Amino acid sequence: MDGVLVDSETYICNAAIMMFSELGIKVLPDEFQPFVGMGENMYIGGVADKHGIKVDIEQVKSRTYEIYKRIVRSKLSSLPGAHEFISKCRKKGLKLALATSADRIKLEVNLKEIGLSRDSFHSIITGLDVENKKPFPDIYLKAAKSLGIKPQDCLVVEDAISGIKSGKAAGCRCLAVTSSFDSSSLREADWICESLLNVPEEALNW
């Protein structure tokens, strides 16, 4: 979702920075980069660990989401080609699962803000549905199972290094979108594109 369908990284980063500021901790945006795509528990918890502070992860995550929901209102936008790509896949008769490391509350906010219905997908898996987050394969194994499709017959669309590792570990083929990392960082993927507006045809025809 984040970095593939919607450009939300700056907002969740700012929300987390504001939350840490309320705790008296000054955090810089670059400190979150190693945890992109791993879910908010790692995104927030990893930075907290780096600063040597113990936090109630559910409490600080809840506060971060409160801030996030406020600052994204009428500001979030879908990434180029997101709606078109989903429509193209559905017209081809492909089954779609939205698999995100984010919690359900963030998913609901994001979909509403970019005008995508839950019905756009045949299945939705969130970070709350799996024990091991990316780069472990759990989320994509669960997504494939929810669709009734073997992992090796699935295409994972990702923007993050941890997501590509997760998809490959699950046995899926991977399409990387360079919205968050450069192509050299995502070279484990089977295909790479700059946006969902220019997805290689072979990525959907194999």
Side-chain angles (χ1 to χ4, degrees):
M1 178 179 66
D2 300 293
V4 174
L5 300 180
V6 57
D7 186 11
S8 58
E9 193 57 46
T10 300
Y11 294 102
I12 192 63
C13 182
N14 287 341
I17 288 173
M18 292 165 71
M19 179 278 295
F20 276 115
S21 179
E22 293 176 350
L23 300 178
I25 306 295
K26 183 178 180 180
V27 176
L28 299 175
D30 288 349
E31 295 181 55
F32 295 95
Q33 192 67 9
F35 310 107
V36 170
M38 296 184 181
E40 268 63 55
N41 283 35
M42 276 298 296
Y43 191 79
I44 295 170
V47 173
D49 288 344
K50 182 178 177 181
H51 283 265
I53 61 170
K54 291 189 177 297
V55 295
D56 180 327
I57 192 64
E58 293 304 322
Q59 186 177 48
V60 295
K61 194 167 59 169
S62 177
R63 177 57 183 153
T64 301
Y65 285 141
E66 285 178 9
I67 298 170
Y68 177 79
K69 189 173 182 178
R70 172 171 54 83
I71 65 177
V72 300
R73 192 169 295 125
S74 301
K75 292 182 180 178
L76 273 189
S77 58
S78 57
L79 283 166
H83 288 264
E84 293 88 342
F85 182 74
I86 289 171
S87 178
K88 183 175 183 178
C89 288
R90 291 190 69 94
K91 286 178 180 177
K92 287 177 68 70
L94 301 177
K95 291 185 177 181
L96 295 175
L98 177 57
T100 175
S101 294
D103 290 2
R104 190 163 294 275
I105 184 172
K106 187 182 179 192
L107 177 143
E108 300 286 1
V109 170
N110 284 3
L111 291 186
K112 180 181 178 182
E113 288 294 325
I114 66 173
L116 265 181
S117 166
R118 291 172 58 90
D119 294 337
S120 301
F121 309 92
H122 298 91
S123 174
I124 292 179
I125 309 295
T126 73
L128 298 177
D129 298 321
V130 293
E131 183 175 351
N132 299 308
K133 307 294 191 295
K134 303 172 189 176
F136 291 96
D138 301 39
I139 196 164
Y140 288 121
L141 292 174
K142 192 174 183 71
K145 186 176 181 180
S146 73
L147 295 176
I149 300 174
K150 295 178 181 178
Q152 59 264 35
D153 294 328
C154 293
L155 175 71
V156 162
V157 184
E158 266 286 352
D159 71 304
I161 298 169
S162 61
I164 295 297
K165 289 184 180 298
S166 173
K168 297 303 286 186
C172 306
R173 297 194 188 190
C174 295
L175 167 67
V177 184
T178 58
S179 52
S180 301
F181 295 87
D182 59 36
S183 57
S184 63
S185 301
L186 303 168
R187 57 183 178 273
E188 283 188 57
D190 298 275
W191 299 278
I192 299 177
C193 61
E194 292 181 359
S195 80
L196 293 178
L197 285 174
N198 53 12
V199 172
E201 281 300 318
E202 55 268 28
L204 291 179
N205 296 286
W206 47 272

